[in-house]
Amino acid sequence: MSTAALPAQQPGRAVAWIVGVLVAIALFGNYYVYDSIGPVADLLQQQRGFSDSQIALLNAIYSLPNVVLILVGGVLVDRFGAARMTLVTAGICALGAALTAFSPDFAGMAAGRLLFGIGAETFNIATLAAVADYFGGRGLALAMGAELAIGRLGSYGADMSPTWFSKAYAAGWQPPLTIAAVIAATAFAASLAYWWVDRGPRRAGLLPTGHKQAEKFVWRDLLHFGTAYWYLLALCVLWYSVILAFRSTFSIKYFQHVHGLDLAMAGEMNSYVFLAAVFATPAFGWMCDRVGRYAPFLAFGALLLPVALGVLALTSASLWVATALIGISYSLVPAVMWPLTSRLVAPNRFGTAIGLMWVVQNAGISGANLVAGWLNDRAGASAANPGGYAPMMEFFGLTSLAGCVFALLLWWVAGRARHEKAVRA
């Protein structure tokens, strides 16, 4: 995305907050639809005969197109403007959600999730650019944090939907996905309203996106990244692969079959991770900024994930213990990872660095979903055979441990760099 300076004049404060509210509504819908598969996973297996591999594919296929599209999403936003791209991609997402809800077979549902994925990641970039358009230089961090917090409330809402919409779930797998499609349509309506409000400031030349030369993704810039960045990239792909594949696809089903929770309670338990992140992520970010030591916090957050998975799979401790640990990890790691990236690479290569991290992140999430689904099917994981989930948990545990190793290597490299800087001083 373009790193050009903002125009000297900016839209009025009232217009900025109207846009902020509309973008927040749209983000809520996008996050809700993404996480709408987990709560219906057991129903899809019971009522439609889907295997765990098929259920995994419904989330994995979301990430697959973004292995490529994420590289051009920022360029499209820079070229056509945040408002226009938000509207277009919100429309694509709404069509994908509708196709998922109303398709008569698995192929149609998978096509709907693929269509949703094609729109969703560029939609996320466009909404972040929208916040930067209207709040750049005046409370941007607060505004962006608030927008992402509202988005995470969408994930919380999806997990709580079995409780909030219990009658819909009692009617089968389709009504819950229909609700998700309606919420996607609401997100599209909010995006349309944002595009309408945006026309005035854009015509007045007060916004940076939509009329600047988009920066190119330059592969040779990768040669200038240091060792610490590559350790951070490895942590990024391993940590996100585990936490999103588990929490967004299999955790609710796992809680039902292994820990004996009903659907409503399993969704509620899963939701607390997202609810905690709404408040804790900005707080952890503020704390790391004040202390000025990012790598130790990142290593601590990464360590909590394999510990939490071990508590889940190997002990009889209350689910609240593992949920709390995962919640802290989910709040702490993102709060540190993205600011730390900006410290590890030159400003003129930051876009390339983030783009590459998002590419491998999406590839990792897709791969982890597919592997976990295959392991469950191979071991016959089900309510009648809860032990069949053990291979999946071993896979997630080992992958998260590998991520922790890279976090510790990053901490070591950062500590050595601080020592060398002190000696030179």
Side-chain angles (χ1 to χ4, degrees), residues 15 83 134 192-205 207:
V15 174
Y134 282 86
L192 178 61
Y194 157 47
W195 171 79
W196 183 268
V197 171
D198 178 84
R199 294 186 309 157
R202 190 163 300 281
R203 288 172 178 170
L207 302 174

Side-chain angles (χ1 to χ4, degrees), residues 138-156:
R138 52 180 188 186
L140 176 59
L142 174 61
M144 195 167 288
E147 298 292 334
L148 293 176
I150 297 298
R152 292 230 169 114
L153 282 177
S155 296
Y156 170 74

Side-chain angles (χ1 to χ4, degrees), residues 25-33 94 97 154 157-158 161 164-165 176-190:
I25 294 171
L27 276 170
F28 178 95
N30 181 268
Y31 277 65
Y32 185 101
V33 175
S161 60
W164 294 347
F165 307 115
L177 293 180
T178 302
I179 291 172
V182 171
I183 291 175
T186 302
F188 174 73

Side-chain angles (χ1 to χ4, degrees), residues 226-284:
T227 303
Y229 169 80
W230 294 108
Y231 288 155
L232 184 63
L233 182 144
L235 169 62
C236 175
V237 63
L238 293 168
W239 184 86
Y240 270 106
S241 295
V242 172
I243 204 160
L244 290 186
F246 179 65
R247 300 303 297 183
S248 295
T249 307
F250 293 107
S251 58
I252 293 177
K253 189 166 172 283
Y254 177 81
F255 290 157
Q256 289 176 268
H257 293 175
V258 177
H259 293 276
L261 303 186
D262 61 27
L263 175 58
M265 190 61 211
E268 186 174 344
M269 183 64 67
N270 200 47
S271 72
Y272 292 130
V273 170
F274 299 112
L275 184 62
V278 170
F279 305 100
T281 301
F284 281 132

